[in-house]
Amino acid sequence: MKVRLFYLYKLFENFVPVYPVYLLLFEQRGIPVSDISLLLSIWSLSVVLLEVPSGILADYWSRKHMIVLAALFKAIGYGLRIFADSFFLFALGFLLWGVSCSFASGSEEALLYDTLKEYNEEDKFDEVYGKGSFYGTVGIVAAMVIGGIISQYFGIKWALIVSIFSMLSAACIASRLKESNVFAKENASEVSSKIKEFMDTLKEASLLCLKNKDILIVICISIFVVGTSGVLDEYDQLVASNYGLGLGLVGIWGAVRYMMAGIGSLIAHKLRMLFEKTWAKDRFFTLLQLCLIGSIFLGVAGFVGHIAIMPIYGLYFLVMATASTLHEDYIQQKVTGEGRATVHSLISLAYNIYGILFYAIFSWVLRYYNMHTGLVFVAVYMIACSIVLYIGQKFNFSDGK
């Protein structure tokens, strides 16, 4: 794989100018808020249902082709929104969006790791993956800024058209990536056995996640602590508004925050090396310290609740992005003969279910407390989870990197 080609793919795959304005499109087409929630549910359900099957398919078939199809499905989904004038067409577009997310989930990481492994450079995964996440963030930031400008002067339709071309460009770039699938090569003679082999792969991936206790506790950290930042991300506009930002500044803040998260991914490799050279020799403790630092940032941001403290809130996402990259590197390093994409899909499935539960509980909390207090509660919850997982690792789990 040409690493620069992977970076370019991540840039275009995340450059979607319609992102910051697609809710306005629904409003223009007369879609009520209740139906928008239903559309998001359709997207979430499709991701949950297809996450594991798509991971198995990526392991047995082609990671590269899955990535290409993911970009194409997303392009078709955006194309439907141009002409959509009914709930059904919008729902179909969201369904394709969910299929796209499930196809890309795990395929990108597995393809990247196996490619690096072919050149004996798998130790660079966190560095390359982190840089890829950074360039993806650059694409998001550019989309948020450019999308607003295009929509204001030319209309949301043109933001959709640019988004379609961006997805088609991502598909073309992905088609030029080198296919690398160690698992498929080692199981080439078994692929024709179909269902049995698929179920065996799912079983092996499940056992790796559940039986290897070092891996299990890192997965728990990634879902219940690090993953919380990804769920909390959906409330970002409301958080910014509670800090006193006007509508115009909310979009700018979103771009800044995404960039801070991108920087967190970019520096993950160097920060890991720094931690492991000083006091955190084990990857688990590196993740734990990052989680505690991020939780403190979030707690301070919520407790103070003043606009001047917003950079601290941004630092929370920077630290969590670093932890997310290191978690992904840890898991990829631990996978040997199991389906690499399948393992990732199982973790993503658990994370999506956790996200649904978090939304329900946090929405209930916000009925009785303001957003800033809610952030403090989340920070306390993250610290408590980190302590519990630390105790479990120290007294019941085996040591190991």
Side-chain angles (χ1 to χ4, degrees), residues 30-101:
I31 303 296
V33 175
S34 59
D35 282 354
I36 292 176
S37 299
L38 182 56
L39 289 172
L40 290 172
S41 298
I42 291 173
W43 170 78
S44 298
L45 182 61
S46 63
V47 173
V48 168
L49 292 177
L50 294 174
E51 188 69 64
V52 174
S54 63
I56 296 175
L57 183 59
D59 280 329
Y60 275 93
W61 181 43
S62 166
R63 281 85 177 261
K64 182 177 77 171
H65 291 160
M66 293 290 283
I67 295 171
V68 172
L69 285 174
L72 291 176
F73 280 136
K74 194 177 289 187
I76 295 172
Y78 292 146
L80 287 175
R81 293 185 189 180
I82 294 178
F83 308 103
D85 57 0
S86 66
F87 177 83
F88 173 77
L89 287 178
F90 277 115
L92 183 57
F94 269 79
L95 178 63
L96 290 172
W97 184 18
V99 173
S100 171
C101 291

Side-chain angles (χ1 to χ4, degrees), residues 50-229:
L50 294 174
E51 188 69 64
V52 174
S54 63
I56 296 175
L57 183 59
D59 280 329
Y60 275 93
W61 181 43
S62 166
R63 281 85 177 261
K64 182 177 77 171
H65 291 160
M66 293 290 283
I67 295 171
V68 172
L69 285 174
L72 291 176
F73 280 136
K74 194 177 289 187
I76 295 172
Y78 292 146
L80 287 175
R81 293 185 189 180
I82 294 178
F83 308 103
D85 57 0
S86 66
F87 177 83
F88 173 77
L89 287 178
F90 277 115
L92 183 57
F94 269 79
L95 178 63
L96 290 172
W97 184 18
V99 173
S100 171
C101 291
S102 61
F103 274 33
S105 176
S107 299
E108 294 177 1
E109 295 82 1
L111 178 62
L112 176 61
Y113 188 88
D114 274 357
T115 302
L116 292 173
K117 190 173 183 178
E118 284 187 0
Y119 296 95
N120 296 317
E121 294 183 339
E122 60 267 33
D123 289 342
K124 293 183 178 180
F125 176 84
D126 58 349
E127 179 181 4
V128 177
Y129 183 74
K131 286 183 179 179
S133 298
F134 171 77
Y135 284 111
T137 302
V138 171
I140 294 175
V141 171
M144 295 187 70
V145 175
I146 296 175
I149 296 174
I150 292 176
S151 299
Q152 181 176 354
Y153 292 100
F154 302 100
I156 297 178
K157 177 180 178 180
W158 282 100
L160 277 168
I161 292 174
V162 175
S163 299
I164 293 170
F165 276 105
S166 182
M167 289 304 99
L168 293 176
S169 298
C172 290
I173 295 169
S175 68
R176 295 183 57 196
L177 295 173
K178 178 184 176 183
E179 179 63 68
S180 183
N181 193 329
V182 176
F183 182 84
K185 291 178 181 178
E186 293 177 349
N187 295 274
S189 60
E190 301 177 283
V191 174
S192 60
S193 299
K194 298 179 181 178
I195 303 293
K196 183 179 184 301
E197 283 69 25
F198 292 169
M199 295 306 297
D200 288 344
T201 301
L202 179 59
K203 180 181 179 180
E204 291 173 359
S206 301
L207 289 175
L208 176 69
C209 295
L210 298 175
K211 294 294 185 180
N212 187 316
K213 296 183 179 179
D214 287 329
I215 293 179
L216 177 59
I217 198 167
V218 171
I219 291 174
C220 289
I221 291 176
S222 73
I223 294 175
F224 298 113
V225 186
V226 180
T228 300
S229 64

Side-chain angles (χ1 to χ4, degrees), residues 244-272:
L245 296 184
L247 290 176
L249 292 177
V250 167
I252 295 175
W253 162 250
V256 172
R257 188 188 61 74
Y258 271 115
M259 182 56 68
M260 294 181 75
I263 293 173
S265 299
L266 184 65
I267 66 174
H269 173 69
K270 293 183 178 179
L271 198 58
R272 173 181 66 82

